[in-house]
Amino acid sequence: MKSTLNFTLTFLGIIHIGTIYAQEFEDYSETLKDDQITIEMVAVKGGTFVMGANDTTRKADEKPSHDVEIDDFWMGKHEITWEQYDAFVFGEFGPEQFKSKETLNDLGIDAVSGATPPYVDMSFNMGKATHPAVNMTQYAALMYCKWLTSKTGVFYRLPTEAEWEYVCKKGKTDEDSNLKNVAWFKENTNDKYEKVGLKTANSLGIHDLLGNVSEWVMDQYDADYYSASPKKNPWNTPSELYPRVVRGGSWKDTKDKLCCTARGQSKQKWKRRDPQIPKSNWWHTNAPFVGFRVVRPKIQPSKEDIKTYWLTAIEDYGLN
Amino acid sequence: MKPKKSQVTRRNFVKGTSLAAGGILLTPSLLTASPVFNKTKKLKLAVVGCGGRGTGAVSQALRADENVELVAMADAFSDRLEKAHSNLSKMFQTGKLKVKPSHKFVGFGSYKKAIDAADVVILTTPPGFRPQHFEYAVSQGKHVFMEKPLATDVAGIKKVLEAAKVAKAKKLNVVVGLQRHYQANYMETYNRIQKGDIGQIVSGQVYWNGAGVWVNPREASQTEMEYQMRNWYYFNWICGDHILEQHIHNIDVANWFIGGHPIKASGTGGREVRKGKDHGHIFDHHVVEFEYENGIIISSQCRHQPGTKTRVDESFQGTLGTAYTDGGGSARLKKYDGTSIYTHDNENDINPYQQEHNLLFKSIRNGEVISDAENGAISTMTAILGRMATYSGKEITWDEAMALEHKLVPDEDTLTFDSVPPITPDVNGNYPIPVPGKTKFI
């Protein structure tokens, strides 16, 4: 096990620029005092890895395996919890809640909007507080990142599919001889998710990457993407609402579904109990097995590049 | 010991059409067939109330049957109507959407022209207006899909019950959007309770504890009437409070599984958290004890308070075991030693919102009759009884409540946006809030 140095940063309003940590690429905790939440971030050194799988037992959409180069970034140690997510859903959105207009402008942000509160119980009675937040759309998960960015002045986003798989493989997450030590899945849960961080972390110190809840990544799902994806920091930018990629499997999945290369995809039917048209941009009604974690690139991109990450919502007219 | 088919004498209560688990419709044998629309006859559809739910219901109706087309729309507000039309245009080809500009009816009273233009009508305005719309639709011989609740006051309930009788006599199909009746986990649980899987029900708990809903703040240009219509959730005459507007779903499940309505209610409630000027005069929490015949007690909780524990489900205790159901599609029946009687797998369940319309149109085509209105009215009244109990802090019986001249809603045909609404704010912009111990119904 790699021992991680915990390095806590307090944001005093003078430290904003990501590059300042170039010499100090360490784990840290992001604390929002007003919202009483802390998000632990783990430093992940970039590198080149083989993405996908070539062996005959794996699915066609995991092929061909191919070399991918990933830059340094931080990744959330845990899935975002309900208390961390509710701070956004039920937060105040006055300008005083966020960084200065100038700072926001540098982050490609002109406005931050909050999710509508859900009408029903989105936790499906499986637990709140430090259980993982679920049922949010990919757009909502990304808007959470935008909210976090606007509060801290530091660029947070969802991981790309490649970054997620890189962490999973580099951390040897699915190599544990006994998967139940690191993951919650159908055979070892009671038909529900569990509090984050109860299982052993992977070798990078990241918990629950496999199982517990599937995790949104930034990409459009395309079964053939691997045959044409760029080598360096690939990201299949979404242009359609469905399907988008989720990774890692969840409490609902059988053990064989949990591995670093398996690719999940979002479905229209995850909103089947939304009686309104258009359907909610913020909530699924039937995805209590999907959550997310955040990442932060070590080198903060330019304003123009950041803007490409703030996807706009595509209205959902529901086809089933 | 085999339980009796019904645990409660059905006073003023006739069981609605029962659906077998497979979704097969059992036509009441006392009714002869209504006129059959053969498969190819175009059915004309109209919608009254063009919000998100109305638009959703139209999209389900248009998908439920090949030969149905939307021909008319009505809403109090033209912007709501146009938005709905534009959303539907993105979903459907022009073959299904045939609403001429002259068939877009706007304002108070616009429901009549829309209903006149159709064979089947969708009634999805806020509930205060439902009785008048339903009564008119039935008088004009239309088949109806209408959303819950069916009224906000006792006068409205009586109007709906009368119209329900007329609809039956005319063999009109009436489907009500208490969609749990069309949802597989609930249907299966109901059938198993009927069979005696958990014995006789003795008690239960039903919940809609959530964070609350949207607010549409006042705009300077609005008359008081327009403001209340736009921010309708917070005004009792239009909405009926969340114990009615949302929690009716769970209260309705209790009535359904027990097989009757309560004989009395007592409870407590108030405005603890949500008490701003834009929150009208409704409560943000209600806790009610409903007592049924034979001493069965149902505890009901509903809450609109952000940050509190959320929960939307139903539990029942029987003499032999327990049942748990929720809108997410779960159903778990267990014996008291913890062993499972039944666990529902909802993986391939049909969307209940779509199923309502599939069965409505199938029934129309086959000359059969679905009659949901009476059950919808009884469940609506049950929630109103709960609201009376929490507002007054008194115990109120079903019969006392039904005997009241309780009328909150004016005749829509007399209203304009300059009319004075039934409730108005004081000089500081605050509305009169019900006070337990002072507010009186009986």
Side-chain angles (χ1 to χ4, degrees):
Chain A
M1 280 294 286
K2 168 177 169 288
S3 67
T4 53
L5 170 67
N6 274 321
F7 177 76
T8 308
L9 288 174
T10 44
F11 285 90
L12 298 168
I14 42 174
I15 307 172
H16 283 323
I17 302 156
T19 50
I20 202 156
Y21 311 115
Q23 320 82 328
E24 311 216 39
F25 188 49
E26 299 285 356
D27 298 1
Y28 71 96
S29 295
E30 182 69 90
T31 297
L32 300 184
K33 285 200 172 53
D34 291 349
D35 298 284
Q36 299 174 352
I37 59 169
T38 297
I39 300 171
E40 292 180 74
M41 301 297 292
V42 175
V44 179
K45 190 90 192 93
T48 299
F49 82 115
V50 179
M51 184 166 182
N54 259 0
D55 60 280
T56 48
T57 60
R58 300 309 307 166
K59 290 188 174 158
D61 68 354
E62 298 170 36
K63 296 168 185 166
S65 62
H66 54 293
D67 282 357
V68 165
E69 194 184 323
I70 299 289
D71 292 339
D72 297 351
F73 65 100
W74 286 271
M75 183 183 248
K77 189 192 248 302
H78 302 293
E79 290 150 343
I80 292 292
T81 63
W82 276 114
E83 62 192 15
Q84 290 163 348
Y85 193 66
D86 281 346
F88 157 68
V89 174
F90 300 110
E92 300 285 327
F93 281 78
E96 72 287 352
Q97 296 289 324
F98 300 107
K99 293 286 174 187
S100 70
K101 262 202 153 10
E102 206 173 59
T103 308
L104 294 189
N105 188 39
D106 290 343
L107 292 157
I109 294 172
D110 45 19
V112 193
S113 54
T116 50
Y119 291 173
V120 296
D121 168 32
M122 287 297 177
S123 71
F124 282 40
N125 229 346
M126 296 186 289
K128 298 272 284 192
T130 60
H131 291 84
V134 290
N135 265 320
M136 76 294 295
T137 60
Q138 186 208 46
Y139 173 75
L142 186 62
M143 289 304 103
Y144 179 86
C145 299
K146 192 177 184 182
W147 172 82
L148 193 58
T149 300
S150 308
K151 289 222 153 218
T152 58
V154 173
F155 177 51
Y156 286 94
R157 57 168 169 82
L158 297 175
T160 63
E161 190 171 15
E163 286 164 343
W164 191 96
E165 186 168 322
Y166 176 74
V167 169
C168 192
K169 284 178 169 168
K170 186 180 166 76
K172 302 182 169 56
T173 320
D174 60 1
E175 290 175 30
D176 194 299
S177 58
N178 208 338
L179 199 61
K180 75 172 179 9
N181 296 333
V182 295
W184 295 107
F185 45 90
K186 193 176 180 74
E187 292 88 342
N188 69 347
T189 55
N190 193 8
D191 277 336
K192 65 182 282 294
Y193 54 52
E194 294 295 339
K195 285 178 180 166
V196 301
L198 295 181
K199 290 288 183 190
T200 308
N202 72 5
S203 69
L204 297 174
I206 292 173
H207 293 264
D208 303 309
L209 203 59
L210 292 173
N212 209 22
V213 297
S214 294
E215 298 170 18
W216 284 115
V217 293
M218 290 281 297
D219 300 63
Q220 184 88 59
Y221 176 84
D222 172 1
D224 301 326
Y225 185 63
Y226 290 3
S227 52
S229 70
K231 179 167 190 263
K232 205 167 161 36
N233 300 313
W235 173 35
N236 190 14
T237 313
S239 56
E240 309 270 328
L241 186 54
Y242 296 102
R244 298 193 185 179
V245 182
V246 294
R247 283 302 201 113
S250 77
W251 57 271
K252 262 187 99 98
D253 289 310
T254 46
K255 187 177 172 177
D256 56 294
K257 299 275 193 325
L258 271 57
C259 87
C260 289
T261 53
R263 309 174 69 201
Q265 44 182 310
S266 65
K267 298 177 181 70
Q268 175 88 58
K269 89 178 203 184
W270 290 0
K271 279 191 200 164
R272 66 182 175 272
R273 282 191 311 120
D274 186 337
Q276 311 263 334
I277 294 287
K279 291 178 182 250
S280 172
N281 289 332
W282 300 97
W283 296 101
H284 287 289
T285 55
N286 296 75
F289 44 83
V290 177
F292 70 104
R293 71 179 74 223
V294 301
V295 300
R296 169 188 170 189
K298 181 178 147 194
I299 308 292
Q300 191 157 297
S302 69
K303 172 165 81 173
E304 283 63 37
D305 283 350
I306 289 178
K307 273 187 182 169
T308 64
Y309 289 102
W310 303 136
L311 302 174
T312 48
I314 297 175
E315 291 227 307
D316 190 347
Y317 295 108
L319 299 167
N320 55 20
Chain B
M1 200 181 110
K2 202 165 170 291
K4 291 200 294 282
K5 183 89 180 136
S6 162
Q7 309 183 333
V8 169
T9 341
R10 287 186 176 74
R11 299 191 312 173
N12 325 317
F13 189 83
V14 178
K15 208 167 73 176
T17 308
S18 60
L19 292 165
I24 299 157
L25 212 53
L26 305 172
T27 313
S29 54
L30 62 153
L31 293 168
T32 52
S34 59
V36 177
F37 285 98
N38 66 44
K39 294 282 180 249
T40 54
K41 179 189 173 344
K42 282 272 184 257
L43 285 171
K44 292 182 171 160
L45 180 71
V47 59
V48 180
C50 300
R53 177 75 278 259
T55 313
V58 169
S59 77
Q60 277 127 14
L62 293 181
R63 287 196 198 102
D65 188 281
E66 282 191 11
N67 290 304
V68 60
E69 55 192 28
L70 185 70
V71 299
M73 300 169 79
D75 198 280
F77 298 107
S78 69
D79 58 304
R80 298 294 280 173
L81 190 151
E82 291 302 336
K83 179 87 176 113
H85 190 264
S86 122
N87 284 335
L88 289 163
S89 307
K90 292 170 193 156
M91 300 165 71
F92 293 99
Q93 304 301 315
T94 46
K96 294 242 163 186
L97 277 191
K98 297 221 164 140
V99 188
K100 298 182 192 133
S102 63
H103 274 55
K104 292 175 175 174
F105 303 105
V106 173
F108 288 114
S110 57
Y111 65 97
K112 285 187 174 170
K113 288 174 177 158
I115 289 168
D116 289 347
D119 305 308
V120 185
V121 299
I122 289 176
L123 307 179
T124 42
T125 63
F129 302 106
R130 191 96 62 247
Q132 197 161 350
H133 297 170
F134 179 54
E135 181 183 50
Y136 184 76
V138 169
S139 76
Q140 300 306 300
K142 312 297 182 179
H143 297 282
V144 175
F145 169 82
M146 58 180 167
E147 260 308 337
K148 46 36 78 175
L150 304 189
T152 57
D153 56 16
V154 178
I157 296 285
K158 288 172 181 165
K159 194 172 273 197
V160 171
L161 286 170
E162 279 306 304
K165 282 185 207 150
V166 177
K168 267 191 180 167
K170 291 187 175 184
K171 301 184 176 50
L172 299 172
N173 281 277
V174 181
V175 169
V176 169
L178 288 162
Q179 79 284 348
R180 282 164 175 74
H181 288 266
Y182 295 86
Q183 192 170 340
N185 57 314
Y186 286 94
M187 290 154 65
E188 182 62 25
T189 302
Y190 172 77
N191 289 335
R192 285 174 172 275
I193 288 173
Q194 288 293 299
K195 264 189 4 214
D197 275 13
I198 62 165
Q200 303 270 2
I201 291 179
V202 293
S203 62
Q205 301 76 33
V206 298
Y207 303 88
W208 193 306
N209 288 345
V213 299
W214 48 265
V215 175
N216 289 319
R218 189 187 292 273
E219 291 172 20
S221 63
Q222 290 169 333
T223 62
E224 180 63 26
M225 179 60 92
E226 182 178 351
Y227 166 65
Q228 291 193 18
M229 289 285 287
R230 295 271 188 193
N231 198 27
W232 63 265
Y233 210 95
Y234 300 95
F235 298 97
N236 258 316
W237 68 280
I238 321 181
C239 162
D241 207 322
H242 62 113
I243 187 175
L244 173 63
E245 206 281 337
Q246 278 183 328
H247 191 37
I248 182 177
H249 282 296
N250 321 99
I251 289 170
D252 168 69
V253 169
N255 284 355
W256 181 22
F257 289 1
I258 289 170
H261 61 73
I263 49 169
K264 60 184 177 188
S266 61
T268 187
R271 276 162 75 96
E272 187 62 36
V273 174
R274 185 178 58 191
K275 46 192 179 186
K277 280 188 181 161
D278 270 319
H279 301 141
H281 60 137
I282 69 170
F283 280 5
D284 63 10
H285 64 287
H286 303 257
V287 178
V288 181
E289 219 171 68
F290 289 108
E291 187 173 327
Y292 293 71
E293 280 186 358
N294 306 349
I296 301 167
I297 302 281
I298 295 291
S299 309
S300 129
Q301 275 188 34
C302 59
R303 181 163 65 194
H304 276 187
Q305 295 175 345
T308 57
K309 179 177 164 59
T310 55
R311 153 164 216 190
V312 181
D313 55 47
E314 306 84 16
S315 295
F316 298 92
Q317 295 76 46
T319 47
L320 303 175
T322 61
Y324 166 89
T325 45
D326 68 40
S330 299
R332 291 191 289 275
L333 278 64
K334 288 182 180 167
K335 292 183 185 157
Y336 283 108
D337 64 9
T339 53
S340 172
I341 300 169
Y342 173 74
T343 300
H344 185 74
D345 172 15
N346 59 40
E347 197 53 43
N348 298 309
D349 285 356
I350 187 164
N351 172 355
Y353 297 100
Q354 186 58 55
Q355 184 69 349
E356 293 173 332
H357 290 272
N358 293 350
L359 293 179
L360 170 63
F361 282 90
K362 192 173 155 197
S363 181
I364 293 171
R365 292 289 184 196
N366 295 342
E368 294 164 338
V369 181
I370 303 174
S371 308
D372 285 351
E374 187 176 9
N375 175 66
I378 300 286
S379 290
T380 300
M381 186 60 212
T382 308
I384 291 174
L385 181 68
R387 187 185 74 208
M388 288 175 170
T390 60
Y391 282 7
S392 66
K394 300 279 197 293
E395 182 178 88
I396 302 180
T397 69
W398 180 275
D399 292 344
E400 285 167 338
M402 283 299 284
L404 291 173
E405 286 302 315
H406 177 259
K407 187 173 187 320
L408 303 176
V409 189
D411 175 358
E412 185 188 335
D413 299 341
T414 66
L415 296 179
T416 70
F417 282 111
D418 294 320
S419 304
V420 178
I423 189 138
T424 50
D426 65 16
V427 289
N428 301 314
N430 296 310
Y431 294 87
I433 314 288
V435 182
K438 297 219 165 76
T439 299
K440 276 198 166 53
F441 293 99
I442 45 173

